[in-house]
Amino acid sequence: MALLRSLSAQRTAISLVYGRNSNKSSNSVAVAACRSFHQRGSRSTSIAGEGAASESTRGVNGARFLHSGERPLQASTLVQPELVSSETLKRSMKQESSQEKNPSPAGSPQRDPLDVSFNDPIAAFKSKTTGELIRAYLVYMICSSEKLVEHNMTLMKLARNLLGQKLFVLLMKSSFYGHFVAGENRHTIVPALERLRSFGVKPILDYSVEEDITQEEAEKREVESSVSSAGDKKEEGSMPQYHVDKSFADRRYKVSSARTYFYLNEATCERNMEIFIKCLEAVSGATFGTGITAIKLTALGRPQLLLQLSEVIMRTRKYMEDMVGGQGNVLTHHKTIKDLEKYYATLGDNKDVKEFLNNVTSDKEGILHLFPWSGIVDEDSQLSDTFRVPDPQTGQMRRLISQIPPKEEEMFRNMIRRLNTIVKAAADLDVRIMVDAEQTYFQPAISRITLEMMRKYNKDKAIVFNTYQCYLRETFREVNTDLEQAKRQNFYFGAKLVRGAYMDQERDRAKSLGYPDPVNPTFEATTEMYHKTLSECLRRIKLMKDCDDDARKIGIMVASHNEDTVRFAIQQMKEIGISPEDKVICFGQLLGMCDYITFPLGQAGYSAYKYIPYGPVEEVLPYLSRRAQENKGVLKKIKKEKRLLLSEIRRRLMRGQLFYKPKGNYVPI
């Protein structure tokens, strides 16, 4: 009753329904306009300048993927007015009634026009029952209270103790759990996945069970698993950021939007592998080959090995920079084997140098890698023997990695074996894998291993996707380098672009340990990095289309809760002639957040995804706690979501649709 009184009180302040146009003649005009727009865009040879010009589209926020905060769009011809006249409202209701009476013919997928201002509550919530809308509104009301959010984990544990397990589970399913989590296991989530699909949205599945361990336990585990049994030897040339520091050993520090795995033992990593494979099976069974599973590499092995491998990669770059000048990844120097032979000419007929040069990975355009990375992912290479380079002065081979004990070498091979098993299962089940980004001290190794998995498995289509965090200063360069490797080694490149989840932690750690801050200096710089990187990917896709090459060799997910960034992507697609049917660009948001973006996109024929967490109620409490924390930081976005929710609830009450049952006839791209 209180909610109904609130609805009545806000009657004059809330926009009810936004204009929708679904008649055949209007659709014909829209199609003609799109064709004309595509023809104009196809004459463009590059969108780099247009992308830079569009940087005034300032927006960056978004949950798991993003910075907190939002900036208003300065100007866009795509944006529609937020408020509508009463005449438009009546016309919209009439059109909607016509839609209900004349649905799409059986068997033909429904497509709706897209309101790019994302202010259409009907499109946003037609997949929800009225009870689900009321629940969502109440959840967002709670998320708007800083005191409740700040102590949410304590309050949930208190409620569990007071109510007992059964009542507590019932309470959570009717509130936070029911809103943000799809179900308890891979069987109970199937109806949710099928409903998503019927409204044009596909799933990214994630088993979101997290350990609720203390800070002391987290620090203990991280320190023990990040140092070799041979000791943490900081040799000459070592880099401090790739060594564990107890002050930042709890990787959950200042991170509310990403799950954290802490290594316990090899058996736990095996169980994580099995869980990921079950996720693949669940996605495959419910999505007809369009689903995705998200994984983290820190769930599959000892973090010490990722730290050491990351340091090797960065020391290799430094080695090349010192020898040939310039900066960046090895392949960006465009050096050949003959160039290296000249650098080593003063060393004479050196057997070790010749063997080193024989193992360098190169093609007709030059050197790709100094080391045979294919051997790394084929599970049989010894790290200690692989990462050695000739000293340009003496010719002696020097290690870029400290000696790794045989037991830890075996642990590394186990980690690669687990990842190979997961990706092979994904390929067999026709499901894609998205490898999540993590902290910068792990990321060089994660990206390198992921790219090698792409080379191995992305031969006919993109099975493996890497994640790039655009709040980092080097993101554009890293994506460019990886695109170049994919082109030269002829494999399909998949990327998920996100804002990033570890910004505050990264800045504090860099300052404390005395290395350069890896994070972009401002909010606007991150937006620019995101748009610049996306524009470069789109530019390359257009070049491939123009050359009659397979444009699907580059696949990009715009993982953003920021509507300005989504609008930017849509605008760029239109300008260069990329249609949703090309299946090269998709969009992703979290379940329970920004439905007003995801569902209109899916219903308009764009490739749209929801990140779907699932797991037993009591075991996903840490995940729910993070969702509450995350929403606290995006109050402006919550305000819009609440406004649209109230608008749709009130519309249903006024039209006698309180018991509305969602039924979609949409087919995802």
Side-chain angles (χ1 to χ4, degrees):
M1 290 303 296
L3 177 59
L4 293 177
R5 285 196 297 270
S6 171
L7 294 169
S8 178
Q10 296 186 50
R11 179 170 299 175
T12 58
I14 298 170
S15 170
L16 300 179
V17 181
Y18 301 85
R20 296 168 61 77
N21 193 342
S22 59
N23 59 57
K24 292 181 180 179
S25 62
S26 295
N27 281 341
S28 300
V29 173
V31 169
C34 282
R35 285 174 179 162
S36 173
F37 209 20
H38 289 177
Q39 288 164 0
R40 291 198 303 272
S42 66
R43 291 194 292 268
S44 169
T45 58
S46 171
I47 64 169
E50 294 163 6
S54 298
E55 297 304 337
S56 60
T57 310
R58 303 293 182 195
V60 207
N61 177 50
R64 168 174 184 137
F65 316 109
L66 320 170
H67 285 265
S68 62
E70 184 178 23
R71 297 290 188 275
L73 185 69
Q74 299 300 316
S76 174
T77 56
L78 289 172
V79 181
Q80 307 299 320
E82 191 162 302
L83 298 177
V84 295
S85 68
S86 58
E87 287 301 317
T88 305
L89 174 59
K90 291 175 184 176
R91 192 163 56 249
S92 174
M93 286 185 169
K94 186 176 179 181
Q95 288 167 350
E96 185 207 348
S97 177
S98 174
Q99 271 189 327
E100 292 171 357
K101 292 177 182 177
N102 301 289
S104 298
S108 67
Q110 188 173 336
R111 289 286 181 266
D112 296 343
L114 177 65
D115 169 20
V116 291
S117 69
F118 299 109
N119 275 308
D120 186 342
I122 298 176
F125 304 122
K126 65 168 67 176
S127 66
K128 301 286 191 296
T129 66
T130 306
E132 288 168 337
L133 297 185
I134 293 171
R135 180 183 65 194
Y137 182 79
L138 293 174
V139 165
Y140 283 128
M141 285 289 288
I142 294 171
C143 288
S144 300
S145 170
E146 290 200 21
K147 295 236 174 182
L148 288 176
V149 170
E150 186 178 346
H151 303 289
N152 74 85
M153 198 64 178
T154 303
L155 291 171
M156 283 193 287
K157 290 179 180 179
L158 179 62
R160 181 174 54 190
N161 292 336
L162 290 175
L163 298 174
Q165 184 178 12
K166 287 187 177 180
L167 282 177
F168 175 72
V169 168
L170 186 62
L171 173 66
M172 295 308 295
K173 284 187 175 181
S174 62
S175 57
F176 280 91
Y177 180 92
H179 184 66
F180 290 117
V181 183
E184 297 199 66
N185 57 57
R186 65 192 183 112
H187 304 294
T188 59
I189 65 174
V190 170
L193 300 186
E194 289 178 344
R195 199 204 300 185
L196 280 176
R197 180 177 174 81
S198 72
F199 284 93
V201 176
K202 297 169 282 187
I204 304 172
L205 216 56
D206 181 30
Y207 188 66
S208 295
V209 169
E210 302 181 26
E211 289 185 285
D212 184 17
I213 61 177
T214 64
Q215 180 181 336
E216 291 73 23
E217 175 65 16
E219 289 175 350
K220 180 175 179 291
R221 285 199 201 177
E222 188 71 4
V223 171
E224 288 177 354
S225 61
S226 296
V227 177
S228 171
S229 59
D232 188 16
K233 299 177 182 178
K234 295 182 181 178
E235 303 167 347
E236 182 182 354
S238 66
M239 300 176 171
Q241 59 265 50
Y242 302 109
H243 295 261
V244 68
D245 185 276
K246 188 177 179 182
S247 303
F248 298 92
D250 185 351
R251 288 184 274 115
R252 300 170 300 184
Y253 169 74
K254 289 191 176 181
V255 176
S256 65
S257 56
R259 181 160 43 136
T260 304
Y261 289 92
F262 291 99
Y263 180 86
L264 183 61
N265 51 43
E266 291 295 285
T268 303
C269 295
E270 289 291 321
R271 284 197 296 274
N272 290 337
M273 177 191 73
E274 291 167 3
I275 288 168
F276 289 144
I277 290 174
K278 287 179 180 177
C279 285
L280 291 170
E281 292 169 350
V283 171
S284 176
T287 60
F288 308 97
T290 60
I292 300 172
T293 291
I295 68 171
K296 280 185 181 286
L297 224 55
T298 50
L300 300 176
R302 189 177 172 89
Q304 162 221 335
L305 301 164
L306 294 175
L307 284 170
Q308 288 183 289
L309 200 57
S310 292
E311 184 170 23
V312 162
I313 292 166
M314 301 313 290
R315 290 183 68 180
T316 302
R317 293 184 185 183
K318 183 71 166 56
Y319 175 80
M320 280 293 285
E321 289 168 7
D322 291 344
M323 189 162 59
V324 305
Q327 61 179 7
N329 197 297
V330 172
L331 72 80
T332 62
H333 295 284
H334 300 288
K335 298 297 180 182
T336 65
I337 299 289
K338 288 186 177 180
D339 291 328
L340 286 189
E341 288 174 347
K342 292 177 184 177
Y343 288 112
Y344 299 135
T346 58
L347 302 178
D349 189 18
N350 188 304
K351 178 184 174 183
D352 290 333
V353 172
K354 284 184 177 180
E355 184 178 351
F356 168 77
L357 291 173
N358 284 337
N359 288 323
V360 168
T361 304
S362 65
D363 61 11
K364 62 183 181 181
E365 295 184 42
I367 295 169
L368 287 158
H369 310 296
L370 289 187
F371 303 113
W373 283 99
S374 58
I376 300 296
V377 298
D378 289 338
E379 306 174 21
D380 58 359
S381 294
Q382 296 290 315
L383 299 182
S384 298
D385 295 335
T386 301
F387 298 116
R388 302 190 306 154
V389 294
D391 186 307
Q393 306 301 320
T394 66
Q396 290 184 336
M397 300 301 289
R398 68 174 194 237
R399 294 183 188 278
L400 295 181
I401 192 170
S402 55
Q403 184 69 39
I404 297 178
K407 185 178 179 181
E408 291 167 17
E409 289 270 10
E410 183 181 355
M411 287 179 178
F412 180 78
R413 288 195 296 275
N414 284 338
M415 178 170 67
I416 298 301
R417 171 183 56 77
R418 292 177 193 119
L419 183 59
N420 266 307
T421 301
I422 291 168
V423 178
K424 187 176 186 305
D428 292 342
L429 292 168
D430 196 20
V431 177
R432 283 167 284 181
I433 288 283
M434 281 192 171
V435 181
D436 279 346
E438 303 193 47
Q439 286 87 348
T440 51
Y441 44 90
F442 292 138
Q443 198 55 43
I446 292 171
S447 288
R448 180 75 266 133
I449 292 170
T450 303
L451 261 290
E452 290 306 311
M453 289 292 165
M454 284 190 206
R455 180 191 56 77
K456 186 173 181 178
Y457 292 99
N458 288 11
K459 293 179 179 178
D460 299 314
K461 63 179 178 178
I463 297 291
V464 182
F465 282 65
N466 194 22
T467 303
Y468 298 88
Q469 301 187 99
C470 293
Y471 70 59
L472 297 175
R473 298 171 188 260
E474 294 297 313
T475 298
F476 179 76
R477 184 182 299 174
E478 294 294 332
V479 172
N480 245 339
T481 298
D482 293 347
L483 281 164
E484 190 63 24
Q485 181 185 338
K487 179 183 175 183
R488 287 167 61 174
Q489 294 191 308
N490 195 30
F491 60 82
Y492 284 69
F493 176 79
K496 178 175 74 172
L497 300 182
V498 303
R499 294 283 195 276
Y502 310 99
M503 180 180 68
D504 293 333
Q505 182 189 111
E506 294 280 12
R507 279 188 169 145
D508 288 353
R509 192 175 188 270
K511 184 177 180 181
S512 177
L513 301 187
Y515 60 87
D517 183 357
V519 178
N520 284 318
T522 64
F523 176 91
E524 287 77 15
T526 293
T527 298
E528 183 178 354
M529 180 65 73
Y530 198 116
H531 291 182
K532 179 181 178 183
T533 304
L534 175 59
S535 294
E536 175 60 18
C537 295
L538 290 169
R539 183 188 70 83
R540 287 175 180 255
I541 291 170
K542 177 173 177 4
L543 287 175
M544 296 175 88
K545 286 189 70 175
D546 290 347
C547 297
D548 291 327
D549 199 353
D550 184 1
R552 295 185 192 183
K553 282 192 173 180
I554 299 175
I556 306 297
M557 170 170 277
V558 179
S560 175
H561 288 181
N562 182 273
E563 58 190 79
D564 290 343
T565 291
V566 173
R567 271 191 289 270
F568 176 84
I570 292 170
Q571 179 71 46
Q572 293 293 303
M573 288 173 67
K574 288 183 176 180
E575 287 182 3
I576 65 175
I578 294 175
S579 71
E581 289 75 19
D582 289 327
K583 298 182 181 180
V584 295
I585 302 294
C586 59
F587 300 86
Q589 291 81 33
L590 282 166
L591 181 70
M593 295 179 67
C594 293
D595 287 349
Y596 63 87
I597 294 176
T598 316
F599 285 95
L601 284 171
Q603 292 155 19
Y606 287 87
S607 182
Y609 284 85
K610 277 293 190 188
Y611 188 96
I612 309 291
Y614 73 99
V617 174
E618 300 223 22
E619 295 181 50
V620 299
L621 291 185
Y623 175 86
L624 293 174
S625 176
R626 288 196 283 103
R627 290 288 77 78
Q629 291 282 353
E630 203 163 47
N631 280 287
K632 181 186 72 171
V634 289
L635 292 180
K636 186 172 182 180
K637 202 167 293 295
I638 287 180
K639 186 177 179 182
K640 178 170 183 175
E641 193 113 31
K642 283 163 59 180
R643 173 176 62 79
L644 292 173
L645 281 165
L646 277 173
S647 176
E648 178 62 6
I649 293 169
R650 185 166 181 259
R651 186 192 68 83
R652 290 187 188 180
L653 290 174
M654 292 175 64
R655 300 192 64 192
Q657 295 181 339
L658 191 61
F659 301 103
Y660 165 79
K661 290 184 179 180
K663 188 176 181 181
N665 186 36
Y666 302 88
V667 177
I669 286 291

